[in-house]
Amino acid sequence: AALKSIIENEVPKWDLALSLDALLASLEQNNPKQQPDIKTDAPQVIYRDHKSVLVVLDGDPKMAKLDNTDYNRVMNTPYFLIQDPKSSAYYLYGTKVWYTAPSLTGTWSIEKKPSKDLQRVQDWLEDQAKQQGGNPDSAAPAPTSAPDIIVRTKPTELLQTDGEAQFSTIEGTQLLYVKNSENDIFRSITDQKYYILLSGRWFNSGSLDGPWNYMASDKLPSDFAKIPEGSEKDNVLASVAGTNAAHEALLDAQVPQTAAVSR
C-alpha cells in the first residue's frame, strides 16, 4: 500500500519526454506478431455513376420525439432524419432544403412547400450550425433536384463515380485506378478483376456491381506493393502487406493517442 501511494503521488511529477521516433523504435524491437481479430464479412456495396447519398441506419429506425414539434427523429443515424407520425412520411435535411419520401426505401424528392413546422425546425438547425462555427456550404445555392438518396439499415458502402468510370494507369504496374471517383477503386489488367479498399479491408469482384469478396492484404496481386510512393494512389500502401507504409502504420497504431473532445 505504501509503495502504491508513492507511485501514484510521485510519478505524475516526473517530467518525462520521449520522441515519437524513439517510441516507434522501441515498439519495433519488442513488437510481437499480432493477429487482430477483425471481421471480414463484406458489407453491401452499392455502385452509382451519378450524384448519390447513402444514409445508413444502425438497424431498424429508433424514434424519439423531437422537442417542441410533432415530428419523431430517427436517432440511430448521423443524418438529421425525421418522420411525420400523421402521414408516416420521412424528411431528410440537406443544405437549405428538405428531401421527402413516403417511406425510407421510397423515392426521395425535394419538398417544395415545407410546412411551418418544418421551417421552424430548419431555422433551429441553421441556428445550431452558426453556434458551432457555421456551415461551410451555407453560401452555396439550394439544390434544385434531389440526388439519388439510398437508405439502408445494414452495413453498406457507396462507390460513386462522376459519370462512367474512367481509368488511368499506375506507372510500373499492371494496375488501373478509377480517376473520377473519391473511392479507392482499382482494376488489375492481369486478372481483369476490380479491387476496392473499404475501411482498411480489401474486396474484389468481377464487376463494379459485385458481388464483392474479402481479400487479405497479403493475397493481393503483387503489383499493389509496387505502387510508387508519391503517386496518385500511394495512400493505399498502408493497407498493402509487406510495404514500408503498412509496417509504419502498424507501429503508429500502437502509440496511445489522447484527444480533448468538446461536450
Side-chain angles (χ1 to χ4, degrees), residues 32-40 214 250:
K33 293 287 184 180
Q34 296 187 359
Q35 298 295 333
D37 184 19
I38 299 174
K39 292 187 66 175
T40 58
Y214 171 74
L250 179 62

Side-chain angles (χ1 to χ4, degrees), residues 66-238:
L66 190 62
D67 292 344
N68 304 316
T69 75
D70 293 330
Y71 297 105
N72 292 325
R73 182 176 180 182
V74 181
M75 302 302 294
N76 53 331
T77 179
Y79 289 83
F80 194 85
L81 180 64
I82 60 178
Q83 184 192 39
D84 183 348
K86 297 177 182 177
S87 65
S88 297
Y90 284 88
Y91 297 91
L92 176 69
Y93 183 67
T95 304
K96 300 181 180 180
V97 70
W98 287 97
Y99 303 102
T100 184
S103 66
L104 281 176
T105 56
T107 301
W108 291 80
S109 60
I110 290 180
E111 177 58 69
K112 296 181 179 179
K113 296 181 179 180
S115 66
K116 291 182 179 179
D117 278 348
L118 274 180
Q119 189 59 55
R120 190 167 65 250
V121 175
Q122 181 173 338
D123 293 341
W124 174 76
L125 286 168
E126 291 176 355
D127 182 61
Q128 292 292 308
K130 289 178 182 177
Q131 294 182 27
Q132 297 175 13
N135 185 342
D137 296 326
S138 60
T144 57
S145 61
D148 184 3
I149 297 176
I150 306 161
V151 181
R152 294 291 185 270
T153 57
K154 295 180 179 180
T156 306
E157 297 281 353
L158 175 64
L159 298 181
Q160 192 169 190
T161 56
D162 184 10
E164 185 178 350
Q166 299 175 15
F167 293 90
S168 185
T169 58
I170 298 178
E171 185 179 354
T173 73
Q174 293 293 305
L175 297 175
L176 306 174
Y177 74 93
V178 177
K179 62 182 181 180
N180 58 331
S181 173
E182 295 183 1
N183 302 109
D184 294 316
I185 308 173
F186 299 85
R187 190 172 190 182
S188 171
I189 297 174
T190 305
D191 60 15
Q192 292 297 304
K193 286 189 176 182
Y194 293 91
Y195 293 83
I196 57 175
L197 180 64
L198 301 173
S199 302
R201 297 176 300 164
W202 289 97
F203 301 91
N204 71 351
S205 173
S207 165
L208 284 174
D209 294 317
W212 294 92
N213 302 298
Y214 171 74
M215 171 158 280
S217 63
D218 58 352
K219 304 297 182 184
L220 290 168
S222 58
D223 278 338
F224 277 93
K226 301 176 184 176
I227 295 175
E229 293 188 6
S231 64
E232 186 72 20
K233 282 297 179 180
D234 67 348
N235 61 291
V236 305
L237 287 172

Side-chain angles (χ1 to χ4, degrees), residues 40-54:
T40 58
D41 300 339
Q44 181 182 5
V45 180
I46 298 172
Y47 170 65
R48 294 289 187 271
D49 60 4
H50 51 272
K51 187 175 182 180
S52 307
V53 175
L54 174 64

